[in-house]
């Protein structure tokens, strides 16, 4: 088999992403309202490489949704994801649960990774609900490398927690925490005290992420890594200018960004090709290098350290604290 794909590529300022039509090869219910899907190339070709923490876009039901890859990165025969049926959502998960069947073709974009597992001798993993999915390959990698790791995995009930039985088989490093039996996760017990040699990875609903961020506030910089399903609250964000200009270093353009338009919209109006997907600062696809200026970061992807460095920004939602931003596009 060959690694070459002839599908259309989408070019951004920083990455080249592949779009491909994959076939749903397997569909299994793994918890209440959660299905596990395996997507494969119809001709049997290897899929693009990915690492723990990566996600792909599914273009389904007229919408684009991001789902974390939860399989084995060394197995390039298919992409595995788990999809929660969000009953009060915008219809993407409902389409997958109600209409997508084995043999159907699905348009897929990616993979991309803004939640990569950094090397460390020790890890503390915290998952809430479907947030377990990106942590599964991380746990496998940590185990294979002989790292000291622990997982606390919370959910509404045990029946709602996907892959719970598989994780239980890993022994006492895994703590399952169904809320209907145990209440909210005891983070002091689950995560412990600050440790310079330990990294914390967390994915789940916003209340859990906020609690973990608060718990880890005193940890060394760079210890905590989180991935969000939705855009974060902007409470306490710096004051941004209502209007500013962006200079495009490569394109040799200077564009005005008014109060009611995003940088991405202004770039698109000027026929500047910047790839985008979620339009909410969650997926990281529109990450753009910053040459000069102070971005007003409104995304849910970059770490505190990345925001302070100001070297990249998500142009779909972020704005500017300086009169001019110079972008390397």
């Amino acid at each position: 088999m060959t690694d070459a794909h002839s599908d259309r590529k989408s070019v951004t300022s920083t990455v080249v992403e592949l779009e491909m039509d994959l076939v749903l090869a397997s569909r299994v219910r793994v918890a209440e309202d959660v299905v596990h899907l395996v997507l494969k190339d119809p001709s049997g070709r290897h899929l693009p490489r990915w690492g723990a923490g990566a996600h792909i876009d599914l273009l389904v039901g007229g919408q684009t949704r991001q789902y974390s890859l939860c399989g084995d990165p060394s197995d390039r025969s298919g992409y595995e994801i788990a999809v929660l049926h969000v009953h009060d959502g915008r219809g993407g998960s409902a389409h997958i649960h109600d209409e997508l069947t084995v043999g159907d073709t699905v348009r897929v974009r990616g993979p991309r990774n803004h939640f990569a597992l950094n090397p460390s001798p020790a890890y503390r993993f915290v998952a809430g609900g479907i947030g377990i999915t990106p942590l599964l390959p991380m746990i496998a990698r940590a185990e294979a490398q002989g790292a000291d790791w622990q997982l606390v995995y919370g959910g509404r009930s045990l029946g709602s927690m996907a892959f719970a039985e598989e994780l239980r088989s890993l022994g006492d490093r895994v703590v399952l925490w169904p809320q209907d039996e145990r209440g909210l996760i005891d983070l002091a017990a689950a995560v412990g005290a600050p440790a310079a040699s330990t990294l914390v990875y967390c994915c789940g609903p916003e209340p859990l992420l906020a609690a973990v961020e608060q718990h880890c506030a005193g940890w060394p910089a760079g210890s905590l890594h989180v991935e969000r399903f939705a855009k974060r609250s902007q409470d306490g964000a710096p004051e941004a200018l209502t209007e500013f200009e962006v200079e495009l270093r490569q394109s040799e353009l200077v564009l005005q960004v008014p109060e009611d338009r995003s940088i991405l919209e202004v770039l698109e109006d000027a026929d500047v090709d910047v790839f985008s997907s979620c339009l909410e600062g969650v997926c990281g696809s529109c990450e753009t290098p910053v040459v000069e200026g102070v971005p007003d970061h409104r995304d849910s992807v970059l770490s505190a350290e990345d925001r302070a460095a100001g070297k990249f920004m998500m142009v779909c939602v972020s704005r500017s604290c300086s009169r001019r931003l110079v972008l390397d596009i």
Side-chain angles (χ1 to χ4, degrees):
M1 290 185 289
T2 177
D3 293 345
H5 279 261
S6 59
D7 307 84
R8 182 172 67 86
K9 293 181 178 180
S10 298
V11 181
T12 76
S13 58
T14 57
V15 296
V16 176
E17 292 194 336
L18 195 67
E19 284 191 10
M20 51 202 149
D21 291 319
L22 302 183
V23 172
L24 180 59
S26 173
R27 172 191 169 111
V28 178
R29 184 176 180 271
V30 291
E32 297 169 9
D33 286 335
V34 180
V35 291
H36 174 253
L37 309 180
V38 179
L39 301 164
K40 296 192 174 186
D41 186 282
S43 64
R45 294 178 295 179
H46 279 168
L47 299 180
R49 300 181 189 276
W50 62 281
H55 68 263
I56 56 174
D57 295 346
L58 263 61
L59 286 68
V60 292
Q63 301 182 53
T64 301
R65 291 291 176 266
Q66 292 76 41
Y67 296 102
S68 297
L69 293 168
C70 60
D72 179 357
S74 67
D75 180 5
R76 297 176 59 200
S77 67
Y79 286 155
E80 298 182 34
I81 61 173
V83 180
L84 171 67
H85 189 170
V86 182
H87 293 278
D88 58 350
R90 290 178 287 176
S93 66
H95 179 90
I96 291 172
H97 275 256
D98 299 338
E99 301 184 38
L100 200 62
T101 60
V102 171
D104 285 350
T105 298
V106 183
R107 192 69 171 171
V108 173
R109 180 188 297 135
R112 74 179 68 90
N113 198 343
H114 290 274
F115 192 47
L117 185 69
N118 294 333
S120 179
Y123 300 97
R124 298 296 177 262
F125 299 111
V126 183
I130 200 63
I132 188 62
T133 50
L135 301 186
L136 292 175
M138 293 186 180
I139 291 168
R141 181 174 168 187
E143 178 74 8
Q145 294 178 346
D148 171 23
W149 67 269
Q150 295 179 22
L151 165 71
V152 59
Y153 174 21
R156 297 188 315 276
S157 65
L158 192 59
S160 72
M161 297 166 64
F163 309 110
E165 289 307 311
E166 295 91 324
L167 288 165
R168 197 196 298 272
S169 69
L170 296 176
D172 58 8
R173 290 190 178 191
V174 174
V175 177
L176 301 181
W177 203 290
Q179 185 174 348
D180 62 348
E181 298 177 19
R182 306 187 64 176
L184 298 178
I185 295 173
D186 182 351
L187 293 177
V191 179
S197 61
T198 300
L199 297 182
V200 180
Y201 280 79
C202 179
C203 185
E206 185 59 32
L208 175 63
L209 299 183
V212 172
E213 287 177 329
Q214 181 177 5
H215 176 80
C216 294
W219 282 55
S223 297
L224 176 61
H225 302 263
V226 301
E227 183 168 62
R228 285 177 156 81
F229 300 141
K231 57 186 178 181
R232 75 166 88 202
S233 169
Q234 296 302 320
D235 294 343
E239 289 194 19
L241 297 173
T242 56
E243 298 182 357
F244 55 95
E245 62 185 23
V246 289
E247 176 186 337
L248 311 183
R249 180 61 55 87
Q250 295 182 36
S251 304
E252 298 183 343
L253 293 174
V254 176
L255 305 173
Q256 300 299 317
V257 181
E259 182 177 6
D260 61 345
R261 304 281 283 170
S262 69
I263 297 175
L264 179 63
E265 290 172 327
V266 170
L267 296 178
E268 291 176 337
D269 288 346
D271 294 325
V272 178
D273 186 18
V274 175
F275 182 78
S276 61
S277 180
C278 72
L279 305 181
E280 294 182 337
V282 175
C283 72
S285 62
C286 68
E287 180 179 276
T288 302
V290 178
V291 180
E292 296 176 15
V294 181
D296 168 38
H297 295 291
R298 302 186 181 187
D299 66 277
S300 302
V301 177
L302 296 175
S303 67
E305 293 75 22
D306 290 335
R307 290 177 170 222
K311 300 297 185 182
F312 295 91
M313 68 183 301
M314 307 302 160
V315 293
C316 68
V317 293
S318 297
R319 298 186 68 79
S320 180
C321 295
S322 53
R323 181 59 57 188
R324 173 177 286 202
L325 279 176
V326 182
L327 306 179
D328 191 17
I329 54 177

